[in-house]
Amino acid sequence: MNVARSFNNWRKYRQTVTELGRMSSRELQDLGIDRADIHSLARQSVAR
């Protein structure tokens, strides 16, 4: 994997973590997401 792609993946991961982290517990619950799962969901978003 090249440097640019790695950087873009890292940015996508951080953006996902940030956006989900800003949501309230109620909003996450409405989406079926547990706060403890945010980092694993962000990793999955990069793998796609």
Side-chain angles (χ1 to χ4, degrees), residues 1 5 8 12 14 19 22 25 32 34 37 44:
M1 193 178 319
R5 186 175 187 147
N8 285 333
K12 185 176 180 183
R14 289 303 315 153
E19 288 178 9
R22 287 182 179 160
S25 294
D34 189 62
D37 296 331
Q44 289 175 7

Side-chain angles (χ1 to χ4, degrees), residues 2-8 11 14 17-18 21-22 24-25 27 31 33 39-42 44 47:
N2 66 27
V3 175
R5 186 175 187 147
S6 294
F7 179 71
N8 285 333
R11 283 188 334 151
R14 289 303 315 153
V17 169
T18 300
R22 287 182 179 160
S24 69
S25 294
E27 290 171 319
L31 295 172
I33 299 172
H39 289 277
S40 91
L41 289 170
Q44 289 175 7

